Amino acid sequence: MKIEVNGEMHQISAATVDDALAELGWADARVATALNGEFLPKAARATTNLTNGDRLEVLAPMQGG
């Protein structure tokens, strides 16, 4: 299926957000996620299914002050 990840289209085979993160190289990364504009808690990623055309945002924490 095709989904948009951080503004870029990706062809993925993953069915869930958790699997998509692994497929895209963020398996062990500490990131925040939003699906179609809504915050998605880490605990919900494994059970949240993706559909063609979904928009996934993946944000890494930034250091600074």
Side-chain angles (χ1 to χ4, degrees):
M1 83 179 79
K2 284 189 178 184
I3 64 168
E4 183 179 318
V5 182
N6 294 347
E8 295 182 18
M9 294 305 291
H10 288 264
Q11 180 74 34
I12 63 167
S13 59
T16 67
V17 173
D18 213 25
D19 292 339
L21 292 174
E23 187 174 326
L24 295 166
W26 284 303
D28 298 321
R30 297 184 75 177
V31 295
T33 53
L35 184 60
N36 299 320
E38 297 291 326
F39 172 72
L40 184 65
K42 182 178 180 178
R45 294 177 192 165
T47 58
T48 301
N49 291 321
L50 292 168
T51 59
N52 198 45
D54 276 347
R55 291 177 295 114
L56 179 63
E57 294 293 328
V58 183
L59 306 167
M62 297 179 66
Q63 289 183 321

